[in-house]
């Protein structure tokens, strides 16, 4: 409820000098009839810690967004090895896969859409599973080359070197007298060859070694291999 009160200058009235203009004052009263005090609105206090945290969150979000955009815009689909391929081995579709990576321009990788063109080519070097395929890793060289032949020789572990054979190794197939034969005084016959592939046979424990030899020696090597009386010798890998 609001009341209006009037006040006059009592000194002016008593001295007979007239009255001054009446001053009106509006006063709010409370429910009990008394005067109610007016409470000013509280001031909002900003907490510096919350302000700093909000600013940091905004900056972090901007940085993450920029990093995500940069990482996704700089990735490329390239060809990689699903499983290890040794030098000289024919590359199959199952050996390959595509991956998304950020690339150094100096690395000459194979784009993912060219994966099919690699099938049937040969590995120019040993390539480990998970590695990226580059143009230098594959070759279109046809085996056997002109004037050469490939002969398969099945050998048990006892007639092969303990070292793992690799495509490109220089070897000799040496005639043996067999378990009951005697070693003569003359050096045994030997044929030099180059390893082009290895094919283990889990059923009989033997490994078929594909060997590239000159055309003129292919028939002799095949005949000796058929007797089972041959051994493989690994020669120096230094070139």
């Amino acid at each position: 409820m609001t009341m209006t009160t009037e006040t006059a200058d009592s000194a002016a009235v008593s001295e007979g000098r007239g009255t001054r203009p009446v001053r009106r004052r509006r006063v709010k009263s409370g429910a009990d009839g008394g005067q109610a005090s007016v409470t000013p609105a509280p001031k909002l206090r900003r907490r510096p810690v919350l302000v700093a945290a909000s600013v940091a969150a905004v900056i972090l979000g901007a940085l993450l967004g920029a990093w995500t955009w940069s990482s996704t815009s700089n990735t490329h689909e390239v060809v990689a090895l699903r499983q290890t391929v040794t030098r000289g081995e024919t590359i199959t579709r199952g050996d390959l896969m595509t991956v998304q990576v950020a690339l150094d321009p100096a690395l000459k990788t194979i784009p993912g859409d060219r994966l099919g063109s690699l099938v049937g080519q040969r590995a120019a070097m040993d390539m480990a599973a998970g590695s990226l395929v580059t143009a230098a890793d594959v070759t279109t060289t046809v085996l056997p080359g002109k004037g050469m032949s490939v002969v398969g020789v099945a050998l048990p572990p006892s007639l092969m070197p303990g070292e793992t054979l690799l495509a490109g190794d220089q070897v000799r197939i040496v005639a043996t007298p067999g378990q009951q034969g005697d070693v003569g005084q003359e050096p045994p016959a030997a044929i030099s060859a180059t390893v082009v592939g290895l094919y283990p046979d889990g059923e009989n424990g033997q490994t078929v070694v594909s060997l590239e030899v000159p055309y003129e020696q292919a028939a002799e090597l095949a005949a000796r291999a058929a007797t089972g009386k041959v051994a493989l010798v690994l020669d120096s890998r230094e070139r």
Side-chain angles (χ1 to χ4, degrees):
M1 182 177 73
T2 303
M3 297 184 300
T4 303
T5 59
E6 297 181 358
T7 60
D9 193 333
S10 57
V13 174
S14 60
E15 294 179 1
R17 291 179 299 183
T19 62
R20 293 182 180 179
V22 178
R23 292 179 298 175
R24 299 178 181 275
R25 182 174 59 187
R26 298 173 65 86
V27 180
K28 291 184 179 181
S29 61
D32 57 355
Q35 293 184 357
S37 61
V38 178
T39 303
K43 294 183 178 180
L44 298 178
R45 297 181 61 188
R46 295 181 178 179
R47 298 181 180 179
V49 175
L50 294 180
V51 174
S54 300
V55 173
V58 172
I59 295 175
L60 180 60
L63 291 176
L64 288 176
W67 177 84
T68 302
W69 178 86
S70 177
S71 60
T72 54
S73 61
N74 292 331
T75 59
H76 302 272
E77 185 180 59
V78 297
V79 181
L81 268 296
R82 187 184 303 276
Q83 55 190 15
T84 300
V85 178
T86 58
R87 181 178 55 186
E89 188 176 352
T90 301
I91 300 173
T92 66
R93 179 62 181 83
D95 295 328
L96 306 173
M97 63 181 178
T98 58
V99 294
Q100 293 283 347
V101 294
L103 295 177
D104 186 327
L107 190 62
K108 305 301 181 182
T109 55
I110 307 297
D113 57 2
R114 290 181 51 197
L115 182 148
S117 66
L118 302 178
V119 177
Q121 296 193 41
R122 290 187 177 272
M125 58 189 69
D126 296 336
M127 296 183 288
S131 61
L132 302 181
V133 181
T134 66
D137 293 332
V138 297
T139 179
T140 56
T141 302
V142 178
L143 289 175
K146 185 177 181 180
M148 305 295 288
S149 299
V150 173
V151 178
V153 180
L155 297 167
S158 60
L159 296 177
M160 296 176 62
E163 296 295 326
T164 302
L165 293 176
L166 302 174
D169 282 340
Q170 300 300 310
V171 298
R172 283 177 293 160
I173 301 299
V174 180
T176 63
Q179 296 181 355
Q180 305 300 324
D182 295 327
V183 178
Q185 298 298 322
E186 297 296 328
I191 298 176
S192 297
T194 302
V195 176
V196 295
L198 298 169
Y199 306 93
D201 189 339
E203 294 184 0
N204 57 23
Q206 293 188 332
T207 299
V208 176
V209 184
S210 289
L211 300 171
E212 186 179 42
V213 295
Y215 175 83
E216 296 79 9
Q217 295 180 307
E220 181 184 354
L221 177 58
R224 291 185 179 277
T227 66
K229 296 181 180 181
V230 292
L232 186 146
V233 177
L234 174 62
D235 291 326
S236 175
R237 285 175 171 164
E238 292 186 5
R239 299 290 183 267

